[in-house]
Amino acid sequence: MARALQLDEAATGHLFNLARSVSGSGRNSPSSSVQRVRPSLHKLLDSFTAHPAFIRGRRTEVLGMNPLAASLLTDFLPKPVRHRSLIRPAFLDPEARQRYPDWEQVAASMVGTLRLDAGRHPHDPLLAQLVGELSMNSEEFRTWCADHRMVERRDGIKRFTHPDVGYLEVNYEALDMTGATDQTLFIYTTEPGSESEAKLRDLAARLNSRDAAPKG
């Protein structure tokens, strides 16, 4: 069927996930549980002092991130678990929208990622709650969710507008974590000698200076 419909790799995987859910094989998946990142991966994130890095789980939830990623994106970890999804502020927080110069492309891609996740875990009540909240509060989400797009990008370019350092471009790589189901490591890098590299270095220096400042 996938060949007949000329589906790409992401769409083919989604088709197989739907078939498994219909057969009932997805019902025993612990998809509604809270995901955890093992301590060694937190140490790995902290080792990337010059590059933003974070781990994304199901429902586009941020499971761990280093300070540079928290500054560039949003510091998700202090938030309640149900508010740690990348897609939630992308649609519901006007300030978060301003961080993406090409917001429409980024947000639509997140919708496609969420649809793939729904195919893998069709009985996840937390995912259903997230989709319900976004559908009730965002017309764009309702529209893009209805067009059945599916996206799973493993590399590319992202553009940001940071309140302290301004516009910058990063290259990203998405790497699946061995031994950790549905956990993906994202690493952002910049072109050597570029203005974006200088700005990212400046942002890292600001964070280091803030952390070194005396408390109280």
Side-chain angles (χ1 to χ4, degrees):
M1 183 182 295
R3 285 194 297 268
L5 296 175
Q6 297 182 331
L7 302 181
D8 60 16
E9 183 178 351
T12 300
H14 183 67
L15 179 63
F16 280 114
N17 288 325
L18 290 177
R20 281 193 291 270
S21 70
V22 170
S23 68
S25 59
R27 293 187 179 276
N28 296 323
S29 173
S31 57
S32 61
S33 62
V34 175
Q35 289 179 282
R36 305 291 183 189
V37 172
R38 59 181 184 264
S40 60
L41 292 182
H42 282 295
K43 292 179 180 178
L44 176 64
L45 290 174
D46 290 339
S47 72
F48 294 116
T49 56
H51 305 292
F54 66 96
I55 295 176
R56 189 193 71 191
R58 294 190 296 269
R59 314 172 203 101
T60 74
E61 286 180 5
V62 174
L63 306 178
M65 63 193 324
N66 65 5
L68 204 49
S71 179
L72 188 61
L73 298 167
T74 296
D75 192 358
F76 285 91
L77 299 186
K79 299 176 182 290
V81 173
R82 64 181 299 267
H83 289 174
R84 293 179 188 170
S85 295
L86 286 164
I87 196 171
R88 191 176 184 276
F91 281 95
L92 304 183
D93 184 351
E95 182 179 346
R97 286 193 179 204
Q98 295 174 5
R99 295 235 174 176
Y100 298 105
D102 47 359
W103 172 84
E104 185 171 324
Q105 176 184 340
V106 171
S109 175
M110 288 183 184
V111 173
T113 299
L114 204 65
R115 286 192 59 82
L116 281 172
D117 196 51
R120 297 186 184 106
H121 304 284
H123 308 292
D124 182 358
L126 298 179
L127 177 59
Q129 291 174 16
L130 176 62
V131 170
E133 179 185 16
L134 293 171
S135 297
M136 289 178 61
N137 294 284
S138 171
E139 182 178 353
E140 293 104 331
F141 179 84
R142 290 195 301 272
T143 300
W144 293 334
C145 195
D147 73 4
H148 304 291
R149 71 182 67 196
M150 291 166 288
V151 179
E152 193 166 48
R153 293 196 173 97
R154 313 306 294 179
D155 61 88
I157 297 174
K158 283 193 181 295
R159 300 168 179 85
F160 295 94
T161 302
H162 191 276
D164 292 330
V165 299
Y167 175 84
L168 67 163
E169 290 186 1
V170 300
N171 302 305
Y172 71 88
E173 292 285 344
L175 309 171
D176 291 332
M177 295 289 90
T178 303
T181 305
D182 295 325
Q183 293 188 17
T184 305
L185 170 66
F186 285 81
I187 304 174
Y188 291 166
T189 61
T190 52
E191 292 295 329
S194 66
E195 185 177 353
S196 292
E197 181 189 43
K199 289 182 176 180
L200 198 59
R201 191 184 303 117
D202 179 29
L203 185 57
R206 289 169 182 259
L207 294 175
N208 292 333
S209 174
R210 184 197 64 189
D211 293 341
K215 301 297 189 293

